[in-house]
Amino acid sequence: MVGYDPGVQGAPLSPKEAAFAGSAAGMVTRALISPFDVIKIRFQLQIERVSSKTPQGKYYGIFQATRCIHLEEGLSAFWKGHIPAQLLSICYGAVQFASFEFLTELVHQKMLYDSQTAGVHFVCGGLAACSATVVCQPLDTLRTRFAAQGEPKVYRNLRHAVSTMWRSEGTLTFYRGLSPTLMAVFPYAGLQFFFYNIFKKLLAPQPEAGNSGGNLKSLVCGSGAGMISKTITYPFDLFKKRLQVGGFEAARAHFGQVRSYRGLLDCMVQIAKEEGFRGFFKGLSPSLVKAALSTGFTFFWYEFFVNAMHNFKEKRGTNVIAKDFNRR
């Protein structure tokens, strides 16, 4: 089970072990879901309506966008910005899960609440995600810039992107969109852990002690939790993406219309006026697919690696005991 569980036999998960499992889960998951992320970002940044019935912009459907990107930019385009994205996933996964395990253990030790309740997981999950977001926001901005640029490329590589943005836009540009990100990430991550906790208990009311459950149930529960939480908090993700490409308008001119926003409130007002209520949910379809796969695989691989470390420690402990017994 994710989070500190006093009922599990053996030593609790250390922060280093949680960070390792979280970073490994993030790395594997990112490689698998990158194409959906690129399509989602392209949809989010398009001003024109995304609709296959009345196509107005460059992209108007998942399959059409996939074909268009593949024909114009090649297969590698679906992994644009993959290096900063991988760094983001590894860093984010490490900080988030290490913080979550620490916070749930703190709740158990210092408070009267049960560390395995859904409510505690909601609060601890939200706080852990906020910590990870503040640490990793520059990498997220770089990832968005790489995924958003077409051909010819504005940024040749990660080093060129960092130096160019630093010189032309200043240090704060790496934290563009941080406000809507924090507003969205607390409920989003909190709801992920909340629903994952509920679904795991519904599917496995009495899990075996010491079994972290890195199996199909983790994948199914994580996918369901990801889709529900993403739908509820999606508009804030769209605001973040629009703000992150501020000052990057020239590179996006051939994709269609571009807009500049003075801040979060101005971004919300302009989208509401020009694109209507549906504008807040542009790219939701690929985002839900991505959220289901991303959250499902993240929890699946996290529990898989935690379980592997637990079994390794258990086996090593058994071998040590056997050696001591033989010596005697």
Side-chain angles (χ1 to χ4, degrees):
M1 195 72 175
V2 175
Y4 179 75
D5 187 355
V8 173
Q9 296 178 354
L13 200 66
S14 71
K16 287 184 179 180
E17 290 171 333
F20 170 77
S23 60
M27 181 180 66
V28 176
T29 301
R30 171 59 58 183
L32 296 172
I33 57 92
S34 182
F36 296 100
D37 203 30
V38 170
I39 295 171
K40 181 203 73 169
I41 291 174
R42 296 291 178 92
F43 280 9
Q44 287 178 324
L45 300 180
Q46 180 170 295
I47 304 299
E48 296 85 357
R49 184 180 178 184
V50 179
S51 172
S52 57
K53 294 181 180 179
T54 55
Q56 299 174 3
K58 186 178 180 70
Y59 306 121
Y60 49 83
I62 295 177
F63 295 110
Q64 178 271 337
T66 302
R67 289 196 302 271
C68 184
I69 294 171
H70 182 262
L71 288 173
E72 293 182 355
E73 304 171 50
L75 186 63
S76 62
F78 294 105
W79 280 269
K80 273 189 175 180
H82 189 61
I83 293 176
Q86 272 292 11
L87 293 174
L88 170 65
S89 297
I90 292 170
C91 177
Y92 192 94
V95 177
Q96 182 184 35
F97 280 103
S99 299
F100 182 76
E101 296 289 345
F102 169 78
L103 289 170
T104 51
E105 185 175 0
L106 186 67
V107 167
H108 173 74
Q109 293 176 348
K110 303 295 184 181
M111 300 181 184
L112 299 175
Y113 300 105
D114 181 358
S115 61
Q116 280 296 314
T117 60
V120 169
H121 278 210
F122 172 79
V123 176
C124 292
L127 291 174
C130 286
S131 301
T133 298
V134 173
V135 173
C136 304
Q137 180 70 7
L139 292 171
D140 191 29
T141 300
L142 287 165
R143 185 272 308 242
T144 299
R145 293 287 183 100
F146 275 106
Q149 70 177 351
E151 297 291 341
K153 294 178 180 179
V154 176
Y155 305 126
R156 297 188 299 272
N157 50 47
L158 183 59
R159 184 179 178 181
H160 179 242
V162 172
S163 61
T164 302
M165 291 169 65
W166 184 287
R167 288 196 311 269
S168 61
E169 303 174 54
T171 308
L172 292 179
T173 194
F174 294 102
Y175 286 90
R176 282 180 183 268
L178 181 61
S179 297
T181 303
L182 290 175
M183 291 171 65
V185 78
F186 182 90
Y188 177 54
L191 288 170
Q192 282 183 334
F193 283 96
F194 176 85
F195 284 112
Y196 183 74
N197 179 286
I198 291 175
F199 292 154
K200 280 298 290 286
K201 288 179 179 178
L202 287 174
L203 291 180
Q206 294 180 341
E208 295 179 12
N211 180 15
S212 59
N215 51 32
L216 185 60
K217 289 180 182 178
S218 299
L219 182 63
V220 173
C221 294
S223 297
M227 292 181 71
I228 295 172
S229 54
K230 174 57 73 175
T231 303
I232 294 172
T233 62
Y234 186 76
F236 289 101
D237 188 39
L238 185 137
F239 302 149
K240 178 187 75 171
K241 291 294 184 289
R242 294 285 181 97
L243 291 170
Q244 283 180 327
V245 294
F248 193 55
E249 289 81 6
R252 296 203 42 77
H254 70 282
F255 285 107
Q257 299 180 46
V258 293
R259 293 289 184 274
S260 296
Y261 305 110
R262 295 189 298 273
L264 175 58
L265 184 61
D266 181 53
C267 179
M268 295 170 66
V269 172
Q270 283 201 47
I271 293 173
K273 284 182 178 179
E274 297 183 14
E275 304 168 53
F277 178 76
R278 296 182 65 176
F280 295 123
F281 292 90
K282 278 185 176 176
L284 180 61
S285 297
S287 187
L288 286 179
V289 176
K290 181 214 166 187
L293 294 174
S294 176
T295 311
F297 279 127
T298 296
F299 280 113
F300 172 87
W301 288 112
Y302 177 74
E303 296 216 35
F304 173 85
F305 286 119
V306 168
N307 197 38
M309 286 189 291
H310 175 82
N311 291 337
F312 175 76
K313 287 194 296 183
E314 200 173 59
K315 186 177 181 180
R316 187 173 61 177
T318 303
N319 290 337
V320 169
I321 294 172
K323 287 180 180 178
D324 289 341
F325 180 79
N326 291 332
R327 286 174 184 171
R328 292 174 186 177

